[in-house]
Amino acid sequence: MGERFSGSFTQQEPIPEAGIEAAMAVLRHGRLHRYNTVAGEIAETALLEEEFAAYVGAKYCLALASGGAAMACALRALQVKPGEPVLSNAFTLAPVPGAIASIGAKPVFVDVAEDLTIDLAHLEAQAKATGSTVLLLSHMRGHVCDMDALMAICDRLGVRVVEDCAHTMGAKWKGVPSGRHGVIGCYSTQTYKHLNSGEGGFLVTDDAELAARAVLLSGSYMLYARHRAAPALEVFEALKLEVPNVSSRMDNLRAAILRPQIGMLDDRRARWRALYQGMERGLAGAPGLKLIPRPQHEDYMGSSFQFLLPGWEPARVAAFVAAAAARGVELKWFGAAEPAGFTSRYAHWQYARPEALPQTDRVLAGLIDMRLPLTFLPEDVNQIARILSEESALAAKAAALGPVAAVSAD
């Protein structure tokens, strides 16, 4: 079998000591609810919102219970109606179409290109065909499309863009932080993302009315004056009796854990980039594998790694994934017939009544995904790449033998 990798693909770095100390302080005083403060105290959540807004350069920020809650809140703030079509990537994770479906709207899927970004030609066609005025754009697995070209299309067609930045917090396109091209940016702080609070999320915008609607939706009651990264009070006064309360607030405990991590994002980007590029070097030339090119304008967060197995039969892909697993390398396959863990795809989301997308099917049929936690060392990445290269070579040899290999096996 050869060497075997013994590391964990799900073990994250520990919470920084400053976050642990801040969390302990919250636990000791017991004021976990974001609006439960004493005289002269500023809630951890309000400070977190202010600090994250400053990091991405946004006027307003709202901390929420999850990234999915942030997306649903964004769509509600935009006043998307039940039955209304909302455009989104066919290649994404279930919480994205789930956020659309949660408000009774209809997901309309857009093809993925071979670089794993949204297909801009199909986006324009779907927008025109459906009359949709909202795109929930997923920067899936950290791959950012040409944002200048996308925004030009959407601006011309009157489509408002909500960015799902669950995989691109800390990334940039031509120097602009991810989440700052559209009208709203949404982020996740779930354990496997770039800030870790177990669950959590952010919504950022420069639009005062959208920000006020989001704060009211999140469950501020009449306590919106306690927000700092928020619009003026008169904006709330015009909306407070109109907007429903859909409680999805973040609490002070998670905010305390997150605040010290914001300043670590740029360092984490550099460390992830080193792991990612090590994997690229290790897999260069591996038989049957196609790597995903990264545009020069994309300053990406390499927290996961993808490659394609173009033209491989499903049984061959499944055998490759199983052989890698036997050697300790945990791969996810987005082309499997049935969903497994998080690797569901658009055809599995039957509540959306998806139309067939042959281009997306072709890309996802050979798409392999792998986490790169920051607990990995450069030598871990080198070992993983060696194992995958060896297994791809064995798969190529077996495919070349074809029926002869099957006869021999019998």
Side-chain angles (χ1 to χ4, degrees):
M1 177 184 287
E3 63 183 320
R4 190 180 192 282
F5 181 64
S6 59
S8 171
F9 284 81
T10 57
Q11 181 59 55
Q12 306 304 303
E13 291 189 303
I15 300 299
E17 286 300 317
I20 294 172
E21 291 173 9
M24 290 302 295
V26 171
L27 290 172
R28 288 191 176 102
H29 64 56
R31 294 185 293 278
L32 275 69
H33 194 283
R34 69 166 296 159
Y35 302 120
N36 180 203
T37 55
V38 296
E41 181 183 22
I42 302 171
E44 289 284 337
T45 313
L47 292 170
L48 171 69
E49 290 165 344
E50 209 169 35
E51 290 159 3
F52 189 75
Y55 177 78
V56 298
K59 288 184 179 179
Y60 312 117
C61 176
L62 175 65
L64 292 140
S66 69
M71 289 185 285
C73 186
L75 296 175
R76 287 189 173 97
L78 287 167
Q79 302 180 73
V80 174
K81 301 294 189 293
E84 184 176 334
V86 175
L87 301 159
S88 193
N89 312 52
F91 174 46
T92 186
L93 293 181
V96 177
I100 299 169
S102 74
I103 64 169
K106 174 180 171 49
V108 176
F109 295 114
V110 180
D111 266 325
V112 64
E114 282 208 350
D115 65 358
L116 304 188
T117 65
I118 195 166
D119 185 296
L120 297 182
H122 194 233
L123 168 63
E124 182 162 358
Q126 291 287 68
K128 289 178 177 177
T130 64
S132 177
T133 60
V134 175
L135 165 65
L136 180 51
L137 173 66
S138 178
H139 299 305
M140 179 61 172
R141 282 337 220 186
H143 295 272
V144 180
C145 71
D146 183 334
M147 291 303 296
D148 300 322
L150 179 134
M151 292 307 301
I153 292 169
C154 291
D155 289 345
R156 175 163 45 83
L157 297 177
V159 174
R160 296 166 294 176
V161 178
V162 176
E163 293 181 69
D164 162 33
C165 306
H167 302 159
T168 54
M169 180 193 289
K172 298 177 183 180
W173 176 264
K174 290 187 177 179
V176 177
S178 186
R180 302 297 293 125
H181 287 88
V183 67
I184 296 176
C186 299
Y187 307 81
S188 172
T189 62
Q190 187 246 32
T191 285
Y192 299 114
K193 305 306 188 293
H194 305 151
L195 299 182
N196 177 12
S197 61
E199 285 287 359
F202 296 111
L203 179 158
V204 301
T205 184
D206 287 344
D207 186 295
E209 181 179 329
L210 289 178
R213 285 183 178 277
V215 170
L216 292 166
L217 283 161
S218 73
S220 66
Y221 294 91
M222 296 299 116
L223 303 175
Y224 42 78
R226 299 190 190 181
H227 287 250
R228 295 165 68 87
L233 297 185
E234 56 264 28
V235 184
F236 290 95
E237 291 298 311
L239 298 170
K240 66 182 183 181
L241 303 182
E242 172 191 333
V243 179
N245 179 328
V246 186
S247 296
S248 54
R249 298 172 297 269
M250 181 181 286
D251 56 79
N252 285 327
L253 180 60
R254 283 184 284 182
I257 292 169
L258 287 170
R259 286 183 62 204
Q261 296 182 54
I262 294 175
M264 304 170 73
L265 273 169
D266 291 347
D267 177 67
R268 287 176 176 177
R269 182 176 62 242
R271 292 166 60 205
W272 261 313
R273 179 74 63 88
L275 294 176
Y276 190 100
Q277 292 177 342
M279 188 64 66
E280 283 184 314
R281 289 191 296 270
L283 291 179
L289 272 65
K290 181 176 181 180
L291 302 183
I292 310 298
R294 307 301 303 228
Q296 69 178 61
H297 297 305
E298 179 195 22
D299 195 1
Y300 59 90
M301 300 289 281
S303 55
S304 66
F305 191 88
Q306 295 74 42
F307 57 87
L308 298 171
L309 302 175
W312 288 37
E313 294 294 325
R316 184 181 169 197
V317 178
F320 173 78
V321 171
R327 298 181 65 179
V329 178
E330 183 180 323
L331 303 176
K332 303 297 182 182
W333 175 30
F334 276 92
E338 295 294 328
F342 62 77
T343 54
S344 58
R345 52 191 172 89
Y346 84 96
H348 298 142
W349 305 322
Q350 290 299 306
Y351 58 82
R353 300 188 186 91
E355 62 182 82
L357 298 172
Q359 174 179 305
T360 295
D361 292 338
R362 177 177 55 78
V363 174
L364 298 187
L367 177 59
I368 301 298
D369 174 78
M370 176 176 57
R371 286 192 177 109
L372 289 179
L374 287 176
T375 48
F376 281 4
L377 300 172
E379 50 264 39
D380 294 326
V381 166
N382 294 339
Q383 184 184 25
I384 293 166
R386 284 197 304 272
I387 291 170
L388 293 178
S389 295
E390 289 170 9
E391 292 300 331
S392 67
L394 290 170
K397 182 178 179 180
L401 291 173
V404 175
V407 171
S408 300
D410 291 341

